[in-house]
Amino acid sequence: MGFLSVLDREHTIAPPGYSRWLIPPAALAVHLCIGQAYATSVYKTSMIKHFDASQTAIGVTFSIAIVMLGLSAAIGGTWVERNGPRKSMFVSACFWSTGFLVGALGIGTTQLWLVYLGYGVIGGIGLGIGYISPVSTLIKWFPDRPGLATGLAIMGFGGGALVASPLSRQLLSLYDDGYDSNVSTSVAGGSALVALFLTLGIGYFVIMMFGVVNIRVPAEGWKPDGFDPSQVKAKALVTTSNVSAANAIKTPQFWLLWVVLLCNVTAGIGILEQASPMIQDFFRGDVGGKSTVAVGAAAGFVGLLSIFNMAGRFAWSSTSDVIGRKPIYALYLGVGIIFYLLLATVGHNSTALFVLFAAVILSFYGGGFATVPAYLRDLFGTYQVGAIHGRLLTAWSVAGVAGPLIINGFLDREGKPGTLTAEAYRPALFTMVGVLAVGFVANLLIRPVADRFHEPSQTTAAEAAK
């Protein structure tokens, strides 16, 4: 009990002089670990062979994890706000690591349902809790630059795959002499997969503990040196009041922003999920012909998209502190429409143009994730912004299913993988233009939250004191 009491909110209040710049690395430690979810493709082929299963059967593991991310963030958001970042980050680490250990058991016993339960369900809960746990804390430490603060942390989730992908390949090479990390078709044995999951589960737990130990909440009444709250009051759409999570979901602003996030994520996932075969198909002269883009170059393209996804989370969210959250989403969605149109109509004419259009779209995808917590803070205040953020992430769960379904649905109708051309992608890309247009209109309709949804000032003060 003595150790567990250290996790309580009252034991995480920062002492005088504590540097707020220690908070983003603590949040980053968690997000870099749970960002491994984007690197599951590294061992997907090995899992298919080990379980003698289809791509869909193995891919379901990732889908379960993303659905559980949204559900656990929505259901557990209020608990995260009530118990503080240290306890919630610790719980996230326990679930995330346990997910790997149970998954390793499933691999070792060739029971795929245990992988679904472990990595998908248990690990997915760790994903959701870990994703939202530092958000409200970062916003409270950086009231002057909330976009920059959340961008620093959520950038880690986008960049987690950049660390996990090469790390996983090297570990598989270490555990299996027959596995060649430089050959895309090479597969690792079951014992190597078990060892990989055990290593990741234990290693990620240790790294996430760094975040647990260093996370702090600011003392009541703290504000950064030189920060003038009156400057925030003058900005459009930035409230000085607070809205509870229960009331937030009753407002049209919440659901408009839910649609905005849904549309932005759906469009980004559409490219991210299909990136490697897409660039090869776009530069295939004839149906069934050989692509001018090599497999290695396609893999490099996927890596480049990950970099833009990660960089967009920091660069665009930081820019939103200057130009505002509503204008930045108008940029994401409006320019996204233009770039999707260009990708569909002229993207096949030049590899450089194709890469440019896709990279910018993916930077908007990442930026949308990083900017949305600050947008919620502007609209609903800091009172229960983490819980509201958790509920909003259900849009991600829906988009995680809708984006691939749109792309794959059109492609399945056009022909078999490896035989498609740019023409086959146009209906799906034009559909994404329509999806972004819906999000663009929803963003335009967002207005300040009505006073009737605001919490009485004494309520939030009593909650803070508690």
Side-chain angles (χ1 to χ4, degrees), residues 64-85:
I64 293 173
I66 294 301
V67 169
M68 290 305 300
L69 184 157
L71 292 177
S72 61
I75 296 171
T78 303
W79 179 89
V80 169
E81 284 286 346
R82 185 169 62 249
N83 287 276

Side-chain angles (χ1 to χ4, degrees), residues 60 115 262 287 387-388 420 422 444:
V60 163
V115 181
L262 171 70
V287 175
I388 300 170
L420 302 174
L444 289 180

Side-chain angles (χ1 to χ4, degrees), residues 280-352:
Q280 294 176 75
D281 292 338
F282 255 67
F283 298 95
R284 194 186 309 278
D286 303 309
V287 175
K290 184 176 177 62
S291 174
T292 58
V293 177
V295 174
F301 171 64
V302 175
L304 181 67
L305 291 186
S306 295
I307 293 173
F308 272 82
N309 177 12
M310 179 178 66
R313 293 170 186 248
F314 174 70
W316 292 123
S317 61
S318 298
T319 303
S320 75
D321 287 334
V322 179
I323 69 173
R325 255 57 81 171
K326 189 171 181 177
I328 202 73
Y329 271 95
L331 175 72
Y332 298 156
L333 300 160
V335 177
I337 289 172
I338 296 171
F339 274 58
Y340 254 109
L341 285 171
L342 291 172
L343 191 64
T345 54
V346 302
H348 64 287
N349 292 327
S350 166
T351 308

Side-chain angles (χ1 to χ4, degrees), residues 11 84 92 100 107 132 215 231 237 251 301 340 349 382 385 398:
H11 294 142
S92 168
F100 277 100
I107 296 169
I132 64 172
I215 197 70
Q231 294 178 356
L237 280 183
T251 66
F301 171 64
Y340 254 109
N349 292 327
T382 61
V385 67
V398 175

Side-chain angles (χ1 to χ4, degrees), residues 9 220 383 459-466:
R9 176 186 284 274
E220 179 65 20
Y383 175 42
T459 299
T460 53
E463 182 69 19
K466 180 181 176 182

Side-chain angles (χ1 to χ4, degrees), residues 52-250:
D52 191 21
S54 65
Q55 291 197 51
T56 300
I58 299 300
V60 163
T61 310
F62 174 78
S63 298
I64 293 173
I66 294 301
V67 169
M68 290 305 300
L69 184 157
L71 292 177
S72 61
I75 296 171
T78 303
W79 179 89
V80 169
E81 284 286 346
R82 185 169 62 249
N83 287 276
R86 179 175 290 175
K87 182 176 288 186
S88 56
M89 288 164 70
F90 178 76
V91 168
S92 168
C94 291
F95 273 94
W96 183 235
S97 298
T98 302
F100 277 100
L101 302 184
V102 175
L105 178 63
I107 296 169
T109 58
T110 324
Q111 297 293 320
L112 186 55
W113 70 270
L114 276 174
V115 181
Y116 291 160
L117 173 64
Y119 190 93
V121 178
I122 300 175
I125 294 172
L127 272 175
I129 299 298
Y131 192 90
I132 64 172
S133 57
V135 168
S136 64
T137 303
L138 283 164
I139 289 174
K140 290 167 185 172
W141 276 107
F142 291 85
D144 49 340
R145 286 179 280 183
L148 178 144
T150 55
L152 279 172
I154 295 177
M155 176 181 68
F157 192 87
L162 292 177
V163 177
S165 293
L167 174 63
S168 297
R169 284 194 290 267
Q170 292 303 314
L171 286 173
L172 288 174
S173 296
L174 177 65
Y175 298 139
D176 187 345
D177 294 336
Y179 177 80
D180 188 345
S181 61
N182 297 315
V183 178
S184 61
T185 56
S186 183
V187 295
S191 60
L193 290 170
V194 171
L196 173 68
F197 268 55
L198 290 175
T199 303
L200 293 179
I202 296 170
Y204 282 144
F205 183 83
V206 172
I207 295 170
M208 292 171 81
M209 285 302 101
F210 170 82
V212 171
V213 169
N214 286 284
I215 197 70
R216 297 286 191 280
V217 295
E220 179 65 20
W222 177 91
K223 63 179 181 179
D225 293 337
F227 174 62
D228 183 2
S230 64
Q231 294 178 356
V232 177
K233 296 179 182 180
K235 294 182 180 179
L237 280 183
V238 179
T239 184
T240 56
S241 301
N242 289 287
V243 180
S244 67
N247 278 336
I249 61 173
K250 300 175 184 177

